[in-house]
Amino acid sequence: MSTHAHPATLDLAATLERLGARMTAPRRRLAALMERWAGAFSPEELASALPDVGRATVYRTVKLLTEAGVLCRTGLPDGTPRYSVDQPHHHHHLVCVACGRVEPFDDPALERAVRDAGAGAGERLVGHRVELYYRCERCTRDAG
Amino acid sequence: MSTHAHPATLDLAATLERLGARMTAPRRRLAALMERWAGAFSPEELASALPDVGRATVYRTVKLLTEAGVLCRTGLPDGTPRYSVDQPHHHHHLVCVACGRVEPFDDPALERAVRDAGAGAGERLVGHRVELYYRCERCTRDAG
DNA sequence: GTGCTTGCAAAGAATTTGCATAATT
DNA sequence: AATTATGCAAATTCTTTGCAAGCAC
């Protein structure tokens, strides 16, 4: 619904402030990097993109933001961990099996089907996760 | 369709043979253990259940069977890896967030919705994964 | 100033690999 | 007998933790 085209740079930083965390340079740089990252990333990738920020800080910040709910942990089919900036609303992921890029998407019909499936199982659902694996345009092209 | 009620002990072993792998005691014991395991397991759990089988062998066997497609890798929301004996047909998972137990399920309506969602995304889908998180009966009871 | 953060290095946990030995075919 | 698999231990990879020094508030 919202059409704020630029949720950008302030979201993660704002979240950190909301948490009562201090606004330090490493955190600011990490937040900016994550927000401009196309798709999903691993802590390791962040760390090598910011060599002068300690790995520990990278992991601590990712953990902080994940617990705050603004980062979302995903993974490739083989379990390789990836994080992405979470949408404010519930959604799922389109994961490229070649490059690991993650696109969020949501689909009301799918949500309904998931809810129904859970009802069919007759259980106390607390959440769900849907991942569609594909080969993105770029990777398809690159592979010839 | 098939009503073989007892796919049991032979499936994993049969798969190993089909792969041209040798039928050794460790492999037989691991296969039997996985098949009778209720829900999903981690390599670590297998290893401690069979202390006299080397961890390396556990990991090698799990990898072998996963690549052969008879084991299926899943994970808790936090990424903790779990494996389960795969159903011969496509399916999804009901994962207990408390104990990690995994129940396979499938739901044609859900499959249809997933396929449609993929079509909407207009991409070359190569697969998908759906995980429903819940609290199983036992855990609900234990938690009071 | 006081207390939260950082970066480094060490500690851990999870998984893989090298290699001599043991077991399968 | 030839080859593959095992188990141990060392090596990797990923992530967390302890701690003194450095910033934010």
Side-chain angles (χ1 to χ4, degrees), chain B residues 22-24 43-44 55-56 59-60 63 73 81:
Chain B
R22 291 183 178 176
M23 256 332 185
T24 64
E44 218 52 42
R55 260 188 217 37
Y59 279 97
R60 284 186 283 233
K63 184 183 203 180
R73 185 190 176 122

Side-chain angles (χ1 to χ4, degrees), chain A residues 76-133:
Chain A
L76 299 185
D78 73 349
T80 308
R82 315 226 110 217
Y83 294 82
S84 54
V85 177
D86 211 345
Q87 304 294 98
H89 57 281
H90 177 75
H91 66 283
H92 296 295
H93 301 102
L94 256 173
V95 183
C96 174
V97 295
C99 67
R101 180 176 299 246
V102 176
E103 292 294 333
F105 79 93
D106 74 289
D107 181 310
L110 181 56
E111 290 304 311
R112 231 173 290 125
V114 168
R115 197 168 49 247
D116 292 350
E123 300 289 356
R124 292 148 291 284
L125 287 189
V126 299
H128 63 264
R129 167 193 295 268
V130 176
E131 250 128 70
L132 301 188
Y133 299 110

Side-chain angles (χ1 to χ4, degrees), chain A residues 21-22 24 27 52 54 57 60:
Chain A
R22 291 184 179 173
T24 63
R27 282 179 177 165
D52 42 325
T57 299
R60 286 188 282 233

Side-chain angles (χ1 to χ4, degrees), chain B residues 45-68:
Chain B
E45 287 171 321
L46 296 180
S48 31
L50 297 177
D52 42 324
V53 171
R55 260 188 217 37
T57 298
V58 172
Y59 279 97
R60 284 186 283 233
T61 304
V62 166
K63 184 183 203 180
L64 203 59
L65 291 172
T66 300
E67 286 169 350

Side-chain angles (χ1 to χ4, degrees), chain B residues 13 19 72 78 85 87 106 124 132 135 138:
Chain B
L19 295 174
C72 179
D78 73 350
V85 177
Q87 303 294 98
D106 74 289
R124 290 149 292 284
L132 302 188
R135 185 173 293 273
R138 180 190 303 178

